Structures are given as structure tokens and as C-alpha cells.
Amino acid sequence: MRRLAALTEMFVTDVNKEDSVIVEFFGSIVNKLFKVFQVAGIPFLIYVLLVFSGWF
């Protein structure tokens, strides 16, 4: 239980700092996911538009 409390305290202190490692890590994950959704989503949107317009 002490170990969990220590990890939680370390997490809270890191998140509250100006240059938080955890916040930067989650920010980089969100940026990468956004790029993946763009790369996968734009061709899918084009496919859907072609299907509904009758070209495909």
C-alpha cells in the first residue's frame, strides 16, 4: 500500500510541474494518434464519397 501511495504522490508531483514528463508523453501519443487518424481517415472519406456518388 505504501508503494502505491508513493507512486501516486510521484505522479501528482510530476503532473503539477511545468515541464511534466507524463503530460509530454500523453501529448506525444495524442499527436501521433491524430496523424494516424488523418492518414487513415482521408482515404476512407474519399472512398465513402465515391460510393455515395456512384463512381465506385
Side-chain angles (χ1 to χ4, degrees):
M1 196 64 171
R2 291 180 188 160
R3 190 175 197 184
L4 183 61
L7 286 174
T8 305
E9 185 177 334
M10 286 173 42
F11 177 81
V12 169
T13 55
D14 183 61
V15 169
N16 288 331
K17 288 193 303 188
E18 185 72 28
D19 56 343
S20 173
V21 175
I22 296 171
V23 173
E24 288 180 13
F25 176 69
F26 281 113
S28 67
I29 289 175
V30 169
N31 285 337
K32 288 177 184 173
L33 282 174
F34 180 71
K35 289 177 185 176
V36 166
F37 283 133
Q38 278 184 327
V39 168
I42 291 172
F44 179 71
L45 179 64
I46 293 170
Y47 168 74
V48 168
L49 289 173
L50 290 174
V51 166
F52 281 124
S53 67
W55 286 81
F56 191 69

